[in-house]
Amino acid sequence: MKPPPLKNDCFAMPPGVDWTPVDVALERLRSGLHAVTEVETLPVADAGGRVLAEPVTALRSNPPKANSAVDGFGFAHASLPPGDIAELPLAEGRAAAGVPFDGTVPEGHALRILTGAQIPPGVDTVVLEEDVTLDSGRIAFRGGLKAGANARAAGEDVEAGQEALPAGRKLQAQDLALISAVGVATVAARQRLRVAVLSTGDEVVAAGGPATDAQIYDANRPMLLEMAHRLGHHPVDLGHVKDDPGLVRAALSRGAAKADVILTSGGASAGDEDHISAVLSATGKLQTWRVAVKPGRPIAMALWDGVPVFGLPGNPVAAFVCTLVFACPALAVLAGADWVEPQGFDLPAAFSKNKKPGRREYLRARIRDGKAEVFKSEGSGRISGVSWAEGLVELGDEARDVAAGDQVRFVPFASFGL
Ligand code: AMP
Ligand code: MG
């Protein structure tokens, strides 16, 4: 089944807002977008990184039956004789993983039991083998063991019929373990979101080729394609076009035909040579988002042939940060995944900074010696700074006077899903 199309006004901002706070922009993305990818059935082993389209319901309990957590000796706790030292005769036979004990352990007896073995009738507690002395068919150990010790109850992890994972979950390696353990072999997953990436600009040329002094290499395309890939999406390379309306239109149409979303970089402001904005506004659906954020520039948001377009700033630092902060969560929604609130934590600053009110700032940062360091320059042209960084220090919309040692919020790049 094909999901419904996005609404024409999905990027519309409330009128009269000049500079949109980051949180308002994020809320707009969260509420205006929805999953656009189709659903398919996949074997669990092929589903890593995919987004669940439906919840996974446990077909069996984990563990299916009570089993032993250790190698040792099992017995009924109520049958222990009183006193400091317990002594029990051993019953004939043993219980091993996959080879259950056939019968009931007689009252007042213990049975050799190995890790993972089903707990047989007549046993509810297991004493660790290291805590036991064994002599001529009898075991002795110190009292004080709690009833049920070292025994895992049936379904203590997940009960059959319970929801093991919700729809919208992006499957991690350990999720595949959980799904497998509860007896589920296939999942309803969304197809990977196809993310097309287009670079624009007369001055931009493909990296590695010949370039005049007036030209710069295309730094954004490999970065954005790799970000899409790392986020679990399917990157689609649309190449680079010059600032020519016809070429831009043709490239967007190519993108809309073979992708679910298009990321462009460059030409997104309102200047004479900002052809992305010009072309998108001619369709009548352009929304220029002036988000109160640094680094950032206006982001041009639009639908092209029904496909959402994020017109990112050309500056690679701004393109990177805007992609992290705005495109990552938006792509997650389009991919059918849960909204991701990037989790950060507070650390002492290894820097000082005076921040003006009225916009949020993201500083290129990393953690060393338990402190948040920031890059030596906030220059927006310093690509080496984003390369150096391992996350962002987030300074809220209000004014802030940070002194060395003050707590600041650090958000690792991994929190954005990278
Ligand atoms: P624009 O957003 O088109 O005004 O571009 C802003 C700055 O980013 C300019 O200095 C551009 O040369 C530069 N720029 C644009 N696209 C790219 C790109 N793909 N790679 C590196 N720099 C770029
Ligand atoms: Mg330009």
Side-chain angles (χ1 to χ4, degrees):
M1 243 184 46
K2 230 183 142 47
L6 295 170
K7 291 214 186 77
N8 274 347
D9 63 352
C10 64
F11 295 127
M13 281 289 186
V17 179
D18 203 15
W19 285 95
T20 307
V22 172
D23 288 338
V24 173
L26 289 174
E27 188 45 43
R28 185 70 267 232
L29 293 173
R30 185 176 189 165
S31 59
L33 300 176
H34 60 73
V36 296
T37 46
E38 288 182 42
V39 179
E40 62 184 341
T41 303
L42 280 180
V44 172
D46 298 337
R50 293 294 196 98
V51 174
L52 284 181
E54 288 165 18
V56 171
T57 303
L59 293 178
R60 68 178 341 211
S61 297
N62 182 51
K65 294 282 178 214
N67 70 25
S68 178
V70 297
D71 287 347
F73 298 88
F75 51 87
H77 192 268
S79 75
L80 280 185
D84 271 359
I85 304 286
E87 203 183 311
L88 295 173
L90 276 184
E92 200 54 32
R94 62 168 208 169
V99 193
F101 176 69
D102 188 15
T104 299
V105 177
E107 226 194 298
H109 285 66
L111 180 78
R112 175 72 171 136
I113 189 163
L114 302 175
T115 307
Q118 212 173 299
I119 304 271
V123 171
D124 59 13
T125 305
V126 182
V127 60
L128 202 63
E129 129 191 317
E130 291 88 328
D131 293 343
V132 160
T133 45
L134 174 66
D135 189 25
S136 52
R138 299 179 73 80
I139 58 167
F141 54 95
R142 267 179 204 292
L145 209 59
K146 285 203 186 95
N150 300 317
R152 306 178 178 129
E156 70 170 26
D157 183 20
V158 185
E159 299 250 31
Q162 258 185 1
E163 181 178 300
L165 288 170
R169 172 79 172 187
K170 188 168 144 191
L171 294 174
Q172 313 181 75
Q174 57 275 39
D175 297 333
L176 304 189
L178 176 58
I179 296 170
S180 301
V182 297
V184 174
T186 59
V187 292
R190 293 202 171 265
Q191 289 182 349
R192 283 189 199 277
L193 185 78
R194 296 165 303 166
V195 181
V197 175
L198 175 70
S199 288
T200 68
D202 283 341
E203 77 283 27
V204 175
V205 292
T212 68
D213 287 350
Q215 292 176 319
I216 56 157
Y217 287 128
D218 185 353
N220 290 339
R221 197 150 46 96
M223 173 177 76
L224 296 173
L225 287 166
E226 176 63 9
M227 289 173 94
H229 170 71
R230 288 196 173 213
L231 293 167
H233 309 307
H234 177 73
V236 177
D237 188 354
L238 291 180
H240 155 259
V241 290
K242 288 206 179 294
D243 288 324
D244 172 283
L247 293 176
V248 170
R249 272 195 293 269
L252 290 174
S253 295
R254 261 191 298 131
K258 55 182 177 182
D260 304 303
V261 53
I262 303 170
L263 305 181
T264 71
S265 65
S269 298
D272 296 348
E273 292 299 326
D274 287 316
H275 294 276
I276 287 284
S277 295
V279 164
L280 291 175
S281 67
T283 70
K285 290 165 199 157
L286 173 73
Q287 294 285 334
T288 302
W289 281 20
R290 287 175 212 288
V291 186
V293 62
K294 181 188 171 189
R297 286 274 295 274
I299 309 175
M301 314 286 276
L303 292 181
W304 188 267
D305 294 342
V307 169
V309 180
F310 284 73
L312 299 161
N315 179 305
V317 174
F320 179 77
V321 174
C322 287
T323 301
L324 273 188
V325 176
F326 302 108
C328 284
L331 296 181
V333 175
L334 293 168
D338 296 334
W339 181 257
V340 182
E341 202 75 62
Q343 296 297 308
F345 44 90
D346 291 347
L347 284 174
F351 63 95
S352 61
K353 178 180 164 70
N354 243 321
K355 181 195 160 290
K356 284 183 283 189
R359 68 177 177 201
R360 189 172 294 185
E361 291 196 18
Y362 291 102
L363 310 177
R364 287 154 267 182
R366 62 181 197 184
I367 306 174
R368 289 294 181 273
D369 301 324
K371 295 196 183 99
E373 298 182 340
V374 296
F375 191 58
K376 60 180 186 245
S377 158
E378 287 184 25
S380 65
R382 308 271 192 118
I383 307 178
S384 59
V386 271
S387 174
W388 171 92
E390 294 161 5
L392 300 172
V393 159
E394 183 184 65
L395 299 176
D397 301 354
E398 65 287 354
R400 179 89 199 264
D401 205 350
V402 179
D406 287 356
Q407 297 282 312
V408 289
R409 187 137 203 89
F410 178 81
V411 188
F413 290 147
S415 289
F416 294 93
L418 279 191

